[in-house]
Amino acid sequence: MSDVLVVAEGRNGELREVSFELLTAGRELADAAGGELHVAVITGPVAEYAAELNREGVDAIHTVDAGEEFNHDVYVQAIEGLYDAVEPGYVLAPNSVNGLDYAPAVATALDLAIVTDVVDLELGDALVATREMYGGKVETTVETPTDRTLVTIRGGEWPPAEGEGSATIEAADVEIDEDAISSTVTGYEEVAGGDVDIADADVLVSVGRGIEEEDNLELIFELAEAMDATVSSSRPIVDNGWLPPNRQVGQSGKVVTPEVYIAIGISGAVQHVAGMKGAENIVAINTDPNAPIMDIADYAIHDDLFDVVPALTAKFAD
Amino acid sequence: MKVLVTVKEVATVDDEFEIDGVGIDDRFLGADLNEWDDYAIEEAVQLGEAGIADEVVTVTIGPEDAEQTIRQGLAKGADRAIRIWDDALAEADLLDVEAKTEILSAVVAEEEPDLVLTGVQADDDGFGATGVALAESIDYSWAAVVNELDLDAEAGVASVHRELEGGLEELVDVDLPAVLTIQTGINEPRYASLRGIRQAQRKELAHLTLEELGLAESVVAGDLTLTSMYEPETESDATIFEGSPEETAGQLAELLREEGVAP
Ligand SMILES: Cc1cc2nc3c(=O)[nH]c(=O)nc-3n(C[C@H](O)[C@H](O)[C@H](O)COP(=O)(O)OP(=O)(O)OC[C@H]3O[C@@H](n4cnc5c(N)ncnc54)[C@H](O)[C@@H]3O)c2cc1C
Ligand SMILES: Nc1ncnc2c1ncn2[C@@H]1O[C@H](COP(=O)(O)O)[C@@H](O)[C@H]1O
């Protein structure tokens, strides 16, 4: 019998969706382990967060009122304290940018095994976690024999928990040692503003690393012009400085929901897909029939973009 | 100050491949410098050029074959390199975060760098966890997913931007010594010059075993066991256009016109 402790995530006064998905993943694991589901709510408006997280299946919510926004040193200390108090078998955290800023440190500090970016969990004789490798080309299962494991889960893989809960809500008895805090958040900055808002476009012609060289972007702009569409891109194109940041689709760029999204030479990494899976029609042009983008494409051409794109432009230029 | 950069040679996979046991058959694998580590090397080399870093050392846990990748780092301007490998490491199916952390911690104890730069994630197994786990283990401060770095060596503070989701950046001051996990786009990694490549041949590339690092073979065991690898069942119900580029482009154009989304 093991309990499960999940760590919720908020930002700017709002809980992020993955927090509710964590409740579902946590409840499933707690059922399999015959234990209780505990939730840690650390920093931010913790009382409001706790009330919102009190959904079906949650047994206890522990709040740590320690500042408005995320600080990993506070998180690590708070989770260490809660771990000692709750003594869970498993800790679940989001595989978010902030999750990756504290979860590995928690695992090291508490000497837990860590498995990250998990898309499925089964508990039998061992804990079996499913995760991808090679940018989603293969899936693997990894086992941890111990019940002292920290798992970070990928967003969007579990449905969010719903319903009214009857959890106990308590301020946790943990002390934060201010002297042990060696990083200070000094502010926030919005990036990626500018001339074009790709989120407004009905049709996006989106280009990825398959384009190979900056000069070849011309092909993409010609197609977009012929189709009266807007050009967007995956991250490497922006990293290379070939397009400005406001053109980037994905986790750290923009979320877009156009009528048509044409992914050209884009593999479909999870962080890219996070920004475009809501498009109505997804078209993929890619030489690799096994590229992960094919899983979410509605239409596909398995061929060389340098042949297909000019041909397509010609069809619209007629 | 001394900067240590962790550098992984990652496996790349051909479009068509076969799985053999819990790994991809060697015939379908290539090797490359991990993209994120390329940016980390560049950041360190630029700190050297700015007169902030006196020495840039790279460390790689990897087989002899990885030396081609390690030499790339040296050719781009790192001063020397360390490679950790032995039979125990060669036999492991999966080197988990805990094992890598223990090994890299031993290197840090030896080298005592002021700053450690890792990549955000390794492109092949993608744990995204080694840098932060290492920081906790060696009692350094840290910041994950850094896409801007401004170092004040005298004050002993690294002012960084952390790239959060949705175009938001968090500005953080981190006390040195620190581990930063570097995100792509933070700089423009250089190509190695011919001169750099020549010089790299003469730079020190030390090979160490676990024993030489004072570690027991058992560190390799870790907590995780890789038990299966398979091609994910495709959830694709995509309509695939077949034919020559001329034909497929024609079918797609027709569809887009039917949908009323293109002129
Ligand atoms: C914290 C974090 C945040 C991230 N945020 C984002 C984000 O917001 N947006 C984003 O996009 N990525 C993001 N990434 C990066 C992401 O993991 C991938 O590295 C990136 O999406 C890959 O871009 P790509 O598909 O263009 O390149 P690749 O993965 O290299 O794919 C190139 C594709 O082009 C195909 N191709 C090659 N040549 C041709 C040809 N001649 N014709 C047709 N097809 C061809 C290949 O088969 C391949 O599928 C993030 C990563 C991290 C760690
Ligand atoms: N075998 C290795 N040798 C050296 N550095 C590594 C190794 N594996 C991972 N790293 C470093 O840790 C970072 C994150 O890797 P990971 O946590 O495996 O995704 C990489 O970008 C590397 O900088």
Side-chain angles (χ1 to χ4, degrees), chain A residues 5 8 13 27 42-43 47 83 87 89 94-95 138 158 175 200 212 226 229 236 260 272 288 294 300 303:
Chain A
L5 176 68
R27 185 65 255 169
I42 307 164
T43 70
Y83 191 89
E87 299 186 330
N95 198 70
V138 303
W158 278 266
E175 293 268 329
D200 288 341
E212 288 172 13
V260 176
H272 184 79
D288 179 3
M294 296 305 168
D303 210 341

Side-chain angles (χ1 to χ4, degrees), chain B:
Chain B
M1 72 159 70
K2 189 196 267 190
V3 182
L4 182 71
V5 186
T6 58
V7 173
K8 186 179 190 191
E9 181 180 87
V10 290
T12 57
V13 185
D14 295 348
D15 285 358
E16 305 284 344
F17 62 88
E18 284 164 30
I19 291 168
D20 180 17
V22 294
I24 289 178
D25 194 317
D26 280 349
R27 284 178 296 153
F28 308 99
L29 291 177
D32 206 350
L33 167 60
N34 183 34
E35 189 182 355
W36 281 266
D37 299 342
D38 194 13
Y39 286 88
I41 293 169
E42 178 64 31
E43 201 61 21
V45 170
Q46 286 187 14
L47 287 173
E49 288 167 346
I52 298 172
D54 315 310
E55 193 181 25
V56 175
V57 183
T58 68
V59 55
T60 301
I61 307 167
E64 195 172 350
D65 281 349
E67 292 199 352
Q68 46 172 350
T69 292
I70 297 170
R71 293 270 176 217
Q72 274 185 50
L74 294 172
K76 285 164 184 262
D79 297 299
R80 63 186 168 87
I82 301 167
R83 181 175 69 85
I84 321 289
W85 199 246
D86 60 16
D87 292 344
L89 284 161
E91 273 161 33
D93 282 329
L94 176 80
L95 210 50
D96 69 11
V97 174
E98 190 192 22
K100 285 196 268 202
T101 300
E102 283 191 47
I103 296 167
L104 293 173
S105 295
V107 175
V108 168
E110 195 87 349
E111 293 286 332
E112 300 185 336
D114 304 283
L115 183 67
V116 179
L117 302 183
T118 75
V120 166
Q121 64 172 28
D123 211 12
D124 47 7
D125 53 18
F127 278 103
T130 302
V132 172
L134 173 66
E136 174 69 26
S137 155
I138 59 183
D139 205 15
Y140 279 27
S141 16
W142 74 87
V145 193
V146 167
N147 68 352
E148 202 176 315
L149 166 62
D150 186 8
L151 204 79
D152 186 341
E154 232 154 83
V157 177
S159 298
V160 306
H161 288 211
R162 291 184 57 231
E163 181 194 87
L164 305 179
E165 293 87 354
L168 189 67
E169 294 183 358
E170 180 192 271
L171 284 52
V172 203
D173 286 347
V174 183
D175 296 342
L176 296 182
V179 179
L180 307 177
T181 81
I182 299 295
Q183 174 65 315
T184 59
I186 187 173
N187 53 40
E188 281 181 49
R190 71 195 65 194
Y191 290 98
S193 65
L194 277 176
R195 187 158 154 267
I197 293 167
R198 266 202 311 274
Q199 282 173 342
Q201 295 307 321
R202 291 193 298 271
K203 288 182 179 171
E204 178 185 328
L205 197 172
H207 168 231
L208 294 173
T209 60
L210 293 175
E211 197 185 341
E212 284 166 322
L213 274 176
L215 294 170
E217 281 187 6
S218 57
V219 298
V220 172
D223 291 318
L224 307 193
T225 319
L226 185 61
T227 46
S228 71
M229 180 182 288
Y230 49 92
E231 288 191 56
E233 233 166 84
T234 177
E235 293 151 26
S236 170
D237 49 5
T239 305
I240 296 163
F241 298 124
E242 312 265 2
S244 66
E246 180 63 25
E247 288 160 351
T248 54
Q251 294 170 54
L252 177 57
E254 198 175 315
L255 172 95
L256 294 172
R257 285 211 171 95
E258 270 168 28
E259 296 273 325
V261 294

